[in-house]
Amino acid sequence: MKTVQEFSSMKLAGKKISVATCYDHWSALILDESDVDAVLVGDSAAMVMHGFDTTINAELEMMSYHVAAVKRGLRNKFLIADLPFLAHKKGLAFLTNAVDTLMKAGAQAVKLEGAEGNIESIKHLVSAGVPIMGHLGLTPQSIHQLGGNKLQGNDASSSERILKDAQSLEEAGCFAIVLEMVPATLAKTITETLAIPTIGIGAGNHTSGQVLVLQDLLGCSKDFNPKFLRKYLDGFSLIKSALNAYSADVKEQKFPSEKESY
Ligand code: KIV
C-alpha cells in the first residue's frame, strides 16, 4: 500500500499518481488488484449511489457506511474519505468526531473542500496525526454558490486566489490537493509552486496525478459527458447487453442448463 510519503516521492520523481473513487465492496475488490495508486470514497456517493442531484446529501452515516464497505475489500490501497457537507463548519468537536468515525470505518486520510475558514481545523487534524487532502477549484459542496459545475480560476483574481489557497493548504499541512475544473495552466503553476502533489480532475495533465469517478471512467454514467472525462469502457451498454442476454436465456428456457442444475 502506498503511503503519503510515497505520494510525495512520486511527485519528486515525476511519477504520476492515479486515483479512482469507490463506494462499495465488489468494486473495491477489483480496484485492490488494479494498478490504481489510491482510492477515494467521495461524497459523490450521494449522486452515484443514491441518485441525489448534488453531493450536499452525503451524510456522515452514509459516508462511513461506504468507507466500511470499501475497506472490507481493500487491502493494498491507500483509502481517502470525503468529509461530508458542513462537517467542518459545525465546530471542532463535531469535526473531530466525524474524522474519528471515518477513520475508524477504515479511511487512512480525509479530504475536505476549500481553504478559507478551514486552516485552523486542518492544522488541528494534522497535529492529531490525520493526513488531510485539500480540494480547490470547483468544490461541489458549494455548487449553489458557484452557480453550477463551472470552470473555476479562469480570470486573474480567481486564479490568484486559488493559488494562494493552495499555498495556505500546504502550509496547514495537507499532504495533497485535488484541483477540480481549473485551467491546465493554473493547475501547472500550482503544481510547480507546491511541494505536495496535486491531483487533477478537469485540470489538464500537468498535475501530479488524476482522479476520476469509477462509474464515469467505466462509462456507466450514460448522460455524464464532460469534456474532461475519458470513458475506458462502455460499461452502460456492456452491462445492459449482459442483462438482456440473461433475460432472453431465462425466457427461452436456456438458463439454467442441465450442467447448471442439481
Ligand atoms: O466526491 C468525489 O468524487 C470527489 C472527486 C471527484 C475528486 O471529490
Side-chain angles (χ1 to χ4, degrees), residues 34 71 107 129 134 151 181-182 192 195 231:
S34 76
K71 183 60 191 173
L151 187 71
M181 291 281 282
V182 296
E192 287 170 356
K231 296 187 178 181

Side-chain angles (χ1 to χ4, degrees), residues 21 23 40 42-44 55 82 111 135 178 180 201 211 213:
T21 69
Y23 319 104
L40 168 70
D43 57 358
S44 48
T55 59
D82 253 337
K111 173 163 82 61
H135 186 155
V178 167
E180 180 162 358
I201 173 164
V211 57
V213 165

